[in-house]
Every structure is written in structure tokens, then in C-alpha cells.
Amino acid sequence: MDILTKLGIHNKKDLFQLGWQFVKFGLVGLSNTAVSMACYYIFLWIDPSLYMVGSIVGTIVSIANAFFWNDRFVFTGTESGWKSKLGRLGKTYISYGGTSILSNVLLWIEVSFFGVGKVIAPIVNLIITIPLNFVINKFWTFKR
């Protein structure tokens, strides 16, 4: 079994649908990033030593944003019952929470040991977390 089959791609239409789904996920991701970064930079503005608090608060708020939009816009066709939604919400917090922990550990390492700027480091981490979040959400959180 090759990787395309594992991704559910059997023809050009499937490939287009997966690509369009990733684009929509990216658009939701832009809003998540805006929400998260707004929280982060507000805490930096209040007191630069609170950069980790800002990152954590931004993460919590942006995960709620991610669930709302991914459930309605990206991974449509999932069950609409409240138990199903609650399960997906929990999975969303677990999946984004896991990658956010990874991002925060990387942030701390980059700032503390490598001297990467507190403003730039979270942006660099998106290169890792965006594709990872898409795969986790597609194949676990919102799996049909």
C-alpha cells in the first residue's frame, strides 16, 4: 500500500479534495495563529518575562477556535450529535495540545539555548506543527 492510498487518494478528484481540505485547514490555521499570537504578544507587551504564559493562554484560546472552524468548515460530514462533538472537542484539545507542548518546548529551547528572538521563535515552530496537526486531525480527531 503506498502513501497515496493511505491518504485515501485513488484518483485525481480525491487528490484535489485532499488539497482543497488542506487549503481550508491552512485558512483556519491562519485564524488560529492570529488568535494565538495576539494573546502571546499581549502578554509580551504587559511583561516580556510572561512570554510562556502568553504562549499557553494563546494555545488554549486558539484550540477552541480551531475546533469551531475545523468542525464546520474543514472536516465536514462528521456526526452532529453533542456526544460526538464533545468527543471531537476533546480530541482537538489532545491533538493541538500535544503539538502545542512540542511547540512550547521548542520555544523554550530556541529562546533559552540558541538565542532565537521571542518574536520569531513561535513563527519558526509553525513549520513543524501545521502539517502535524493536519495529519492528526484528518486521521484521528475528525475521522469518519
Side-chain angles (χ1 to χ4, degrees), residues 12-76:
K12 288 181 183 180
K13 181 181 175 188
D14 293 340
L15 181 61
F16 175 79
Q17 288 176 336
L18 180 68
W20 178 237
Q21 190 176 45
F22 188 75
V23 167
K24 291 190 297 185
F25 185 81
L27 292 172
V28 171
L30 287 174
S31 72
N32 296 342
T33 302
V35 167
S36 179
M37 291 295 163
C39 292
Y40 178 78
Y41 292 126
I42 287 169
F43 276 86
L44 268 185
W45 177 71
I46 293 169
D47 182 350
S49 69
L50 296 175
Y51 74 97
M52 289 302 295
V53 174
S55 182
I56 292 166
V57 169
T59 296
I60 292 167
V61 174
S62 71
I63 291 172
N65 180 70
F67 171 74
F68 179 82
W69 290 110
N70 281 328
D71 196 54
R72 292 179 185 245
F73 180 61
V74 180
F75 301 106
T76 58

Side-chain angles (χ1 to χ4, degrees), residues 59-121:
T59 296
I60 292 167
V61 174
S62 71
I63 291 172
N65 180 70
F67 171 74
F68 179 82
W69 290 110
N70 281 328
D71 196 54
R72 292 179 185 245
F73 180 61
V74 180
F75 301 106
T76 58
T78 53
E79 293 182 41
S80 61
W82 71 270
K83 284 184 180 181
S84 177
K85 282 190 183 283
L86 191 58
R88 289 193 308 273
L89 177 62
K91 286 181 175 181
T92 299
Y93 269 96
I94 291 168
S95 63
Y96 278 92
T99 56
S100 294
I101 289 169
L102 172 63
S103 183
N104 282 321
V105 168
L106 291 173
L107 174 66
W108 177 71
I109 290 169
E110 292 161 355
V111 170
S112 299
F113 296 104
F114 296 110
V116 177
K118 293 175 185 173
V119 173
I120 299 298

